[in-house]
Amino acid sequence: MERRREVVAVLWLAAAMTVAVAEPLPQYYNAIFSFGDSFSDTGNFVIINSGKLPNMPKFPPPYARCSNGRLVIDFLAEAFGLPLLPPSANKGTNFSQGANFAVMGATALDLKYFKDNNVWSIPPFNTSMSVQLQWFDEVKQTICSSPQECREFFSKALFVFGEFGGNDYSFAWKAEWSLEKVKTMVPKVVASMVSGIERLLDEGARHVVVPGNLPAGCIPITLTMYPSDDRSEYDPRTGCLKKYNSVALYHNAMLRIALDQLQRRRPDSRIVYADYYTPYIQFARTPHLYGYKRGALRACCGGGGPYNYNMSASCGLPGATTCEDPDAHVSWDGIHLTEAPYRFIANTWIRGPYAHPPLASVVRDDMVY
């Protein structure tokens, strides 16, 4: 019976996605501004690191992505008739239609927090949420000249704030923190995110999309780095590690509560919770129903092993190979997704059911109002 319900749900969702493609969205937003980490970085890490990320055939630097193609943020831009977002670190760019401040490895908490707590597996440069907001202030000066003009401009822009938190918890796991100790970070991470969102609302933002965490226990790097001989630690329906997913679930639950409270405090805004977790879990449970014949837990690009993730031969390094059918995989490099699931997730954020409320309904209601 459960299996039948899953099949029916997937067929319904597939039909909804077909409708989504058939119905063009209104050209409502004048710009998109994105904050976050490698799940939405469109080139900042490459520029800041003065190097390049390998095996990114579709987007040469400075527009490299951690994928084989487009990310969710790219599909959102295309859906609303805007150009793909330029990385904010690409100085001299015209940011009048948006900018991307996201950086691979970025955290919600400042790096000082990790240093103060003897967590040292952190990036060599500070690209945390607060730093990205400083970059936003710098870019703002190039696109509007007065507080009133800026508020009017940002009121017609879409802001995507996150994913944040995944790296915070990952660095703590690498420092061998216990589950209980990692969970103590969650209120701090969520509070930091809410303060960042409020800062944007104070600047005039009205529509803010806030993605939650992905199920870290389903990601090949986690499954490779933290294997267990105790099969009870794995979810039998997905093969994912339950402990790491529990932190993501806790984060997402606390984030949704905080966003609901923020929405009540700021009734003139529309704050959208965007769900990465549920679709990824569905990919892991029934990958073939979504067209992922190779499953959700094995990387397309990697250096071998049960999940095709190898720290010494990760994607782009000597010893790694790239699959011939990336669209049949959920995971690109053992951490990030391929273009196909990003496209699917973006559609569900626009039309539902994995955004609360869906972006299309937010825009429609605003236009009617």
Side-chain angles (χ1 to χ4, degrees), residues 307-322:
Y307 306 101
N308 198 31
Y309 183 83
N310 185 334
M311 287 286 288
S312 61
S314 57
C315 184
L317 295 179
T321 59
T322 302

Side-chain angles (χ1 to χ4, degrees), residues 1 21 40 51 53 119 133 135 164 171 179 192 237 256 272 303 328 352:
M1 181 62 71
V21 172
S40 50
L53 297 178
V119 175
L133 288 167
W135 295 342
F164 279 117
F171 298 150
L179 172 61
S192 179
R237 297 171 297 174
R256 291 197 68 174
V272 175

Side-chain angles (χ1 to χ4, degrees), residues 56-119:
M56 295 192 176
K58 293 189 178 181
F59 294 91
Y63 300 107
R65 276 114 169 114
C66 294
S67 181
N68 67 311
R70 290 163 291 180
L71 314 179
V72 169
I73 191 65
D74 297 315
F75 288 112
L76 293 181
E78 290 178 351
F80 288 106
L82 291 166
L84 303 188
L85 302 187
S88 63
N90 198 26
K91 304 301 182 184
T93 300
N94 183 343
F95 296 116
S96 62
Q97 290 186 290
N100 195 336
F101 306 96
V103 188
M104 183 171 72
T107 55
L109 303 176
D110 286 331
L111 292 193
K112 184 179 182 300
Y113 170 86
F114 299 97
K115 295 175 181 177
D116 289 346
N117 285 276
N118 292 315
V119 175

Side-chain angles (χ1 to χ4, degrees), residues 108-250:
L109 303 176
D110 286 331
L111 292 193
K112 184 179 182 300
Y113 170 86
F114 299 97
K115 295 175 181 177
D116 289 346
N117 285 276
N118 292 315
V119 175
W120 298 102
S121 58
I122 53 179
F125 35 77
N126 190 2
T127 57
S128 63
M129 185 198 76
S130 63
V131 173
Q132 293 181 28
L133 288 167
Q134 292 173 19
W135 295 342
F136 169 74
D137 287 338
E138 295 171 6
V139 165
K140 179 179 69 173
Q141 298 173 21
T142 71
I143 55 180
C144 51
S145 56
S146 70
Q148 182 60 31
E149 181 186 354
C150 290
R151 289 188 63 81
E152 291 177 359
F153 182 84
F154 295 138
S155 72
K156 289 296 182 70
L158 176 65
F159 288 79
V160 182
F161 201 75
E163 185 258 5
F164 279 117
N167 286 319
D168 300 71
Y169 309 132
S170 176
F171 298 150
W173 290 123
K174 290 178 183 177
E176 300 183 348
W177 283 23
S178 67
L179 172 61
E180 292 71 23
K181 189 172 182 180
V182 173
K183 284 188 172 181
T184 64
M185 297 176 65
V186 174
K188 300 180 181 68
V189 167
V190 170
S192 179
M193 292 178 64
V194 170
S195 69
I197 297 165
E198 288 195 282
R199 183 167 165 180
L200 295 176
L201 295 176
D202 291 341
E203 294 283 353
R206 293 178 58 247
H207 292 180
V208 185
V209 176
V210 187
N213 278 186
L214 292 88
C218 300
I219 297 174
I221 185 175
T222 306
L223 291 160
T224 301
M225 291 181 63
Y226 308 109
S228 175
D229 293 330
D230 183 355
R231 299 310 300 174
S232 68
E233 294 189 9
Y234 293 84
D235 185 333
R237 297 171 297 174
T238 61
C240 305
L241 283 162
K242 293 186 288 187
K243 177 171 74 171
Y244 302 92
N245 281 357
S246 72
V247 174
L249 283 170
Y250 181 41

Side-chain angles (χ1 to χ4, degrees), residues 15-36:
M17 293 301 98
T18 302
V19 173
V21 172
E23 296 178 358
L25 290 168
Q27 305 301 299
Y28 180 79
Y29 296 112
N30 58 8
I32 298 178
F33 296 95
S34 171
F35 304 78

